[in-house]
Amino acid sequence: MQLKTQVGIIGAGPAGLTLSLLLAKFGIESIIIENRSRAYVEARVRAGLLEQNTVDLFKDMGVGERMECEGAEHHGVYLNFDGVRHRVPFKELTGGRCITIYGQQEVVKDLIEARLAQGGEFFFEASAKSIEGIEGNSPEIHFEQNGEKHNILCDFVAGCDGYHGISRQTLPKDSYNEFHIEYPFSWLGILAHAAPSSDELIYSYHQRGFALSSLRSETVSRLYIQVPNDDKIENWTDEQIWDELEIRLSNGSDFKVNRGEIFEKSITPMRSFMIDNMQHGRLFLAGDAAHIVPPTGGKGLNLAVADIRFMAAAFKEFYTNGQEHLLESYSQDCLRRIWRAQDFSNFMTTLFHKQSEHGSFEYQLQKAKFDYIGISEAYKTTIAENYVGLKEI
Ligand code: FAS
Ligand code: PHB
């Protein structure tokens, strides 16, 4: 089947979905190709932390109603190091900004529902196989669905297809430099029918490894522990996971982790990755297709949405008055925030993960940073404004 649209979007994750809704707001047509089913993408457990900018954008777009009702607004975060705890407040240090805890799968559900309600055109279980003609004015997406071949003639292609997608592979290899860190540890993450163990998130350095206490609702907890890269889910019983979380999250008080049925477990490797050019001709990349941050900073989803704000504004300028200034500056406009998020995510990851022996020079540097958080409002402010997301950058 030969299809035609203004912007062909590959990927129905936070990037592709936000783009399709913003383009519709500007009267710009798009089609989304997604190689998984709707049920799969709506059930895929990933991020959970929304920056202030992301919350504000979703509200402006009119897709924030359930997020406001079911999401949890947090005004601070607890940071532990070897049993000592500091709290970093947000509102006082950032002029009232904060974070909202709301599962990525809920975001995806809300965005898909909103786009379908507008009559948005989706092809689920449709896999983009190639993108042709990006150096001309009518690039083409070739995709397959149910064994049939189709293509979409577009003005532009938005590569929102994540780290393993085809978009980045379509950029000429000499059009970008690649930056990569593979951390020597992974996260074992669980979702459990258990009330959160704390009123705010807890990031904790412990001699046995990092742990993070987060949540999805008043009855569902989201928690993580640092594990070796070659660890396997089957190496852990539920009881061992709960025991390890309780040890690592304790701040020396009588801290108890609330236990319950674990209904989702996964191990995710930690990596920092990015390319320093996100466009070529009529192909523009956004989100994980162009960059990956370790989730310690809670930035992945928020960076994807931040890229899309720039991409949507650039397409709006093009279709409204034929100008291409924002299209030309798209990558540079995105990279300022991406590098800031890479730095903050790397800071949080190297500060709170066990990477060397107790008492080593590296350990002492980690402890010195943590102790400085405890005595410096300036350092707490730096952490707070990066964590809730800088308003402009
Ligand atoms: P996504 O990967 O969300 O979406 C890309 C979409 O493109 C997918 O639905 C995929 O199926 C589709 N696609 C790929 N190739 C295609 C093709 N050829 N044709 C058609 N469709 C194609 N971030 C945080 O902030 N905190 C976290 O705790 C966190 N945990 C994570 C855990 C895991 C296991 C992973 C993988 C990521 C995690 N992230 C986390 C990061 C995550 O939230 C991403 O940053 C976010 O999903 C980025 O959104 P997109 O760029 O839209 O990419
Ligand atoms: C989550 O709730 O999944 C979450 C929160 C904060 C992070 C990472 C993940 O830094």
Side-chain angles (χ1 to χ4, degrees):
M1 178 171 42
Q2 172 73 48
L3 297 153
K4 189 167 175 18
T5 191
Q6 290 174 303
V7 181
I9 300 172
I10 305 176
L17 294 166
T18 304
L19 179 62
S20 68
L21 284 159
L22 281 177
L23 292 178
K25 194 173 171 180
F26 303 147
I28 301 167
E29 291 170 10
S30 65
I31 293 177
I32 298 187
I33 309 294
E34 167 53 53
N35 66 3
R36 298 288 188 169
S37 69
R38 176 179 178 183
Y40 182 95
V41 297
E42 291 186 347
R44 189 167 46 191
V45 176
R46 281 190 172 169
L49 186 158
L50 303 184
E51 288 181 346
Q52 186 70 58
N53 286 351
T54 304
V55 169
D56 294 345
L57 178 65
F58 286 164
K59 286 179 184 173
D60 291 349
M61 289 164 61
V63 296
E65 191 180 338
R66 199 162 70 95
M67 173 189 70
E68 285 190 275
C69 178
E70 298 177 18
E73 197 174 88
H74 279 206
H75 302 154
V77 65
Y78 294 116
L79 305 178
N80 284 7
F81 195 97
D82 272 351
V84 175
R85 174 171 293 182
H86 298 316
R87 180 176 184 267
V88 175
F90 301 145
K91 280 188 174 271
E92 304 90 311
L93 299 178
T94 66
R97 294 164 67 78
C98 60
I99 62 164
T100 295
I101 299 297
Y102 188 61
Q104 176 170 322
Q105 66 270 38
E106 306 311 325
V107 170
V108 167
K109 282 179 200 165
D110 295 344
L111 298 181
I112 289 176
E113 185 180 341
R115 187 67 188 113
L116 287 173
Q118 296 172 342
E121 204 168 354
F122 283 85
F123 287 84
F124 286 107
E125 296 177 82
S127 181
K129 296 301 180 191
S130 69
I131 308 165
E132 311 294 339
I134 61 175
E135 293 180 353
N137 291 337
S138 305
E140 214 160 358
I141 301 171
H142 297 270
F143 71 95
E144 288 182 16
Q145 186 185 46
N146 304 324
E148 292 182 19
K149 295 184 189 306
H150 310 280
N151 55 42
I152 308 174
L153 206 55
C154 332
D155 297 335
F156 297 95
V157 176
C160 303
D161 48 353
Y163 183 68
H164 301 290
I166 64 165
S167 298
R168 189 173 68 254
Q169 314 308 330
T170 306
L171 293 176
K173 281 286 176 276
D174 61 359
S175 68
Y176 62 85
N177 296 301
E178 204 170 271
F179 303 87
H180 213 157
I181 299 177
E182 292 285 347
Y183 296 93
F185 41 76
S186 295
W187 277 12
L188 186 160
I190 64 168
L191 277 172
H193 290 301
S197 304
S198 165
D199 60 334
E200 292 176 332
L201 272 59
I202 307 172
Y203 291 76
S204 190
Y205 172 94
H206 190 278
Q207 288 308 313
R208 296 167 67 99
F210 168 80
L212 168 60
S213 168
S214 184
L215 62 134
R216 286 294 175 269
S217 69
E218 290 173 5
T219 59
V220 175
S221 288
R222 176 68 161 154
L223 302 113
Y224 301 90
I225 51 173
Q226 173 186 350
V227 294
N229 277 334
D230 59 359
D231 207 343
K232 302 270 184 292
I233 283 287
E234 47 271 22
N235 296 341
W236 292 81
T237 66
D238 290 4
E239 191 178 3
Q240 286 169 330
I241 294 173
W242 285 122
D243 290 347
E244 199 63 32
L245 281 163
E246 191 150 280
I247 292 166
R248 297 187 187 186
L249 290 168
S250 169
N251 61 326
S253 63
D254 54 354
F255 176 84
K256 288 289 178 207
V257 69
N258 293 331
R259 304 184 186 216
E261 176 212 352
I262 297 176
F263 63 91
E264 205 275 343
K265 292 181 197 175
S266 61
I267 291 184
T268 306
M270 294 288 114
R271 67 163 60 91
S272 297
F273 168 84
M274 67 184 280
I275 55 177
D276 61 0
N277 173 50
M278 300 162 63
Q279 63 192 92
H280 186 77
R282 290 292 179 100
L283 171 62
F284 291 79
L285 271 59
D288 279 17
H291 43 73
I292 296 285
V293 287
T296 330
K299 294 300 170 197
L301 181 155
N302 298 290
L303 264 186
V305 172
D307 291 347
I308 290 302
R309 291 168 79 116
F310 285 117
M311 192 187 290
F315 287 146
K316 181 184 177 188
E317 180 193 57
F318 176 80
Y319 284 108
T320 308
N321 54 36
Q323 297 296 320
E324 300 196 24
H325 305 303
L326 296 180
L327 287 172
E328 286 158 8
S329 66
Y330 169 69
S331 291
Q332 291 317 309
D333 293 340
C334 293
L335 285 167
R336 288 192 296 273
R337 182 174 293 274
I338 297 165
W339 277 118
R340 175 89 314 275
Q342 288 284 2
D343 174 59
F344 180 66
S345 304
N346 178 266
F347 165 81
M348 290 288 281
T349 301
T350 49
L351 175 54
F352 288 105
H353 285 77
K354 180 175 172 64
Q355 302 176 72
S356 59
E357 286 321 303
H358 189 72
S360 68
F361 184 73
E362 292 77 11
Y363 165 83
Q364 295 296 358
L365 291 183
Q366 285 174 279
K367 187 177 181 312
K369 281 189 179 74
F370 181 78
D371 292 344
Y372 186 40
I373 294 170
I375 60 169
S376 166
E377 180 153 324
Y379 210 18
K380 286 193 184 73
T381 303
T382 296
I383 291 170
E385 67 182 17
N386 278 277
Y387 194 76
V388 301
L390 295 165
K391 197 169 177 61
E392 300 298 337
I393 189 167

